[in-house]
Amino acid sequence: MSVTASLDTQPDEPASPPDGGRFAAPEKPFWRLLIRGAMFLAVTLGIYRFWLATDVRRFLWSHTEIAGDGLEYIGTARELLLGFLIAVALLVPINVMFFLAAFSRGLLGQVAGTLALAVLALFGQFAVYRARRYRLTRTVYRGIRFHQTGSAWRYAICALFWWAMIGVTLGLAYPFAQASLERFKLRNTHYGNLQGHFVGSGTRLFFRGVLLWIVVVVPFVIGMMAAIGEVDWGALAEAIKRGGDDLASRIESTNVGAAVSVAVIGVTWSITAAALLYPVFQAMVLRWWISGLRFGALTVASRLHTGAVYALYLRFMWISLLAGVTIGIAAAIGFALAALVGMAFGEGIATQAFASAILIGSYVAVALAYSTIYQATVRLRLWKLSAETLELSGLEALDKVKAAGVASSALGEGLADALNVGGI
């Protein structure tokens, strides 16, 4: 359905602002698209995901308006499938090589696992950049496509460096990492012949989020340090060295139990705080990112409210709870039937196969159900909120844009899919 047709069927909605965005689509068609896609995923053992991803993108793009003009997604499922097959053909020999290296003697066998992790992480970041290039070249606005230049390998190396810094600093480097990587991506992003750039400040994001870091990370660090300090490590080493039947009691005398309790308290606090504050973090980062986008003289700002992000996560939770109860009841009925079959016909191969089928089916149903609910309640609404809270200025810069750039291959998307680092 075209954007115009969608607008005609919803006369009660306000008109698109000339300097903002709008998402002109009801939720029910998206739910139907996802539910149908989940069924086909189960039947095709996941192969249908290329068609589902294409349908989802076309839905989101085609119903999104920016300054009164709609987006268009021109990618195809066939491209995604071919990109995935090529990526698998490239990754299989690499994985086999590292697998065989792990069994070799000497230094190579010792470092094979670490080296494999580093190489696959590098490939993952390479795939993230190339997948973004593919999606941009399949995105059309006002009849002109976006495109991306720049070296994917250079981006991958920079990304690995920054993720290492994030790990070393326990997350404190995250704002600066995001600012650096977004600047790299945006200065290589073009709308036709109009170059983009990113003006978001890592320092500003740091000071906005440092309180969240203190609440989530500091208790974890304190808990771990207190737990380490609580243990008598000399006595523990001596107890383990001596062994014997009373090993457990001697280990307990080194305050290991108290240390574990302190560590559990710190970890529990951090996990709970992270879960409760994640919508705040997501809203803050998304608002910061959108407000940093620039294309020539075109500037973008966001009015995204944290409360709206909390609302969509609460909706996701109660719908997920309802789905979980429903699937649990269905699984319980299935296992009861399996027990009755076992009582009637004995514990044969057929009965065990029936019970196994119920167990596997329950797992698949839970995975597909929660994925569907997440996409329909969180991803869709977050996309809608992002579009409808946009504020644009300098739109006249778009009037002089000329077409430029060529379509990119889907290899990056295939690698991202194979390495499980793909995005929308």
Side-chain angles (χ1 to χ4, degrees), residues 19 43 95 117 183 264 281 339 342 349 357 377:
D19 58 350
V43 172
N95 283 284
L117 181 62
R183 282 195 295 269
V264 168
F281 171 78
I349 296 177
T377 57

Side-chain angles (χ1 to χ4, degrees), residues 2-349:
S2 66
V3 175
T4 304
S6 177
L7 290 173
D8 291 340
T9 59
Q10 301 177 58
D12 295 333
E13 294 190 12
S16 303
D19 58 350
R22 181 171 181 256
F23 185 74
E27 287 190 16
K28 287 185 178 180
F30 194 64
W31 274 102
R32 289 195 294 267
L33 184 155
L34 292 175
I35 293 172
R36 182 191 64 194
M39 293 179 179
F40 280 123
L41 282 174
V43 172
T44 62
L45 302 179
I47 296 176
Y48 186 73
R49 68 181 181 274
F50 307 109
W51 283 264
L52 178 58
T54 301
D55 290 341
V56 167
R57 290 173 185 176
R58 286 177 179 170
F59 184 93
L60 296 177
W61 268 245
S62 64
H63 291 95
T64 302
E65 296 180 7
I66 300 176
D69 292 297
L71 297 175
E72 182 183 1
Y73 179 76
I74 58 174
T76 66
R78 180 175 176 272
E79 291 175 338
L80 298 182
L81 175 59
L82 290 176
F84 175 76
L85 294 176
I86 295 172
V88 170
L90 293 174
L91 290 175
V92 166
I94 295 174
N95 283 284
V96 170
M97 179 182 66
F98 282 118
F99 177 77
L100 295 176
F103 290 97
S104 64
R105 298 180 178 180
L107 181 62
L108 180 60
Q110 296 174 4
V111 303
T114 303
L115 185 60
L117 181 62
V119 170
L120 291 178
L122 185 67
F123 268 106
Q125 295 303 320
F126 172 88
V128 167
Y129 194 78
R130 287 295 299 269
R132 184 176 183 272
R133 176 177 294 176
Y134 169 82
R135 290 192 294 271
L136 284 172
T137 60
R138 299 311 189 274
T139 300
V140 177
Y141 176 64
R142 292 186 174 185
I144 298 175
R145 73 166 76 236
F146 290 82
H147 66 102
Q148 178 177 281
T149 58
S151 170
W153 289 116
R154 182 180 177 186
Y155 173 84
I157 293 171
C158 292
L160 284 187
F161 166 78
W162 277 115
W163 280 111
M165 292 300 100
I166 291 171
V168 169
T169 62
L170 299 178
L172 280 176
Y174 178 83
F176 307 101
Q178 286 297 102
S180 176
L181 295 177
E182 290 302 323
R183 282 195 295 269
F184 185 97
K185 288 188 286 189
L186 263 295
R187 69 170 174 261
N188 289 295
T189 300
H190 304 261
Y191 169 57
N193 63 345
L194 186 64
Q195 184 178 16
H197 59 285
F198 187 75
V199 298
S201 167
T203 302
R204 184 175 301 174
L205 181 62
F206 174 85
F207 284 110
R208 288 179 180 177
V210 68
L211 181 60
L212 299 180
W213 184 87
I214 292 173
V215 173
V216 173
V217 179
V218 170
F220 170 79
V221 174
I222 293 176
M224 293 298 103
M225 293 177 64
I228 293 172
E230 189 75 21
V231 178
D232 186 344
W233 294 101
L236 178 61
E238 181 64 23
I240 295 174
K241 182 179 179 180
R242 288 175 56 189
D245 296 335
D246 60 341
L247 176 62
S249 61
R250 283 187 282 112
I251 289 179
E252 186 176 352
S253 67
T254 63
N255 292 331
V256 169
V260 171
S261 299
V262 172
V264 168
I265 292 173
V267 171
T268 302
W269 172 277
S270 295
I271 293 175
T272 304
L276 293 175
L277 294 175
Y278 181 72
V280 179
F281 171 78
Q282 189 173 32
M284 177 184 64
V285 173
L286 186 56
R287 189 166 52 241
W288 169 83
W289 176 75
I290 293 174
S291 299
L293 299 177
R294 301 289 185 271
F295 280 91
L298 174 66
T299 64
V300 186
S302 173
R303 298 175 286 102
L304 180 65
H305 294 296
T306 302
V309 180
Y310 265 110
L312 62 88
Y313 275 103
L314 289 173
R315 186 167 180 263
F316 166 72
M317 290 175 62
W318 79 258
I319 294 178
S320 297
L321 179 61
L322 181 62
V325 171
T326 303
I327 294 173
I329 293 173
I333 294 173
F335 284 118
L337 290 175
L340 292 175
V341 171
M343 293 173 60
F345 300 99
E347 296 295 332
I349 296 177

